[in-house]
Amino acid sequence: MVLRRRAAALAAAVVLVLTPAVVSCSDDGGSASGEASPTTAQATTDQPPDAAAAKAAITKNWTAFFDPATPTAEKIRLLENGEQMAPVLGAFAGDKNAAQTSAKVTGVEFTSPTHANVTWDLLVAGNPALPDAKGTAVLQNDTWKVSMQTLCGLVQLSGAQVPGC
């Protein structure tokens, strides 16, 4: 049962990822906790100038990218180098399984002013199918986007072969 649920979640993840065309970028850098400390000056270099606004933008854009109601053109805009994945995203835009998938961001941790690690749940029909998934967001052209690395990681988990990943 668990294996069946995981397989369904991965299949949904591929459809979701390809449909919304969200791509995020990962980074192995450290994170800033935001707590006051003697090294506050160093911590602020690991995050954007307005970390609260950046977290809100990442959460909003990540959720929109995985929302089946978001038009493909908008998903392309919310995916790192989205134009490269446009044909793939368009091909999956009409998939009926994508209509049941969504994402819930549960955490954002900055690794630099332009990169963040994102913890999120992939939901199928509102239920967590892939909880505590890890991905990355990247600031590109003044927009926080899902990284291509995140999208390609989901595609890889599914076993599918997708051009560009």
Side-chain angles (χ1 to χ4, degrees):
M1 180 77 168
V2 171
L3 187 57
R4 175 190 259 171
R5 233 175 106 192
R6 172 104 25 202
L10 292 176
V14 170
V15 171
L16 248 190
V17 171
L18 294 178
T19 299
V22 173
V23 174
S24 65
C25 176
S26 70
D27 187 16
D28 293 332
S31 67
S33 66
E35 297 176 23
S37 72
T39 59
T40 302
Q42 180 182 351
T44 57
T45 62
D46 289 344
Q47 57 187 338
D50 188 346
K55 283 183 182 182
I58 290 168
T59 300
K60 177 184 173 198
N61 294 348
W62 198 281
T63 302
F65 178 79
F66 287 97
D67 184 340
T70 301
T72 301
E74 179 67 5
K75 290 180 182 194
I76 289 170
R77 190 184 74 76
L78 298 174
L79 179 62
E80 177 188 25
N81 302 324
E83 289 297 326
Q84 294 175 2
M85 299 296 284
V88 175
L89 296 175
F92 287 93
D95 190 286
K96 65 180 179 173
N97 294 321
Q100 296 184 18
T101 57
S102 61
K104 179 182 177 186
V105 173
T106 59
V108 175
E109 185 177 343
F110 293 102
T111 58
S112 79
T114 59
H115 291 81
N117 291 327
V118 179
T119 304
W120 60 290
D121 296 337
L122 176 67
L123 307 173
V124 176
N127 299 308
L130 193 59
D132 296 322
K134 305 295 183 198
T136 55
V138 61
L139 183 63
Q140 184 180 55
N141 300 325
D142 296 323
T143 300
W144 282 98
K145 300 179 179 193
V146 175
S147 71
M148 281 185 56
Q149 186 173 353
T150 297
L151 178 62
C152 290
L154 287 171
V155 170
Q156 226 175 15
L157 281 175
S158 74
Q161 295 294 320
V162 177
C165 285

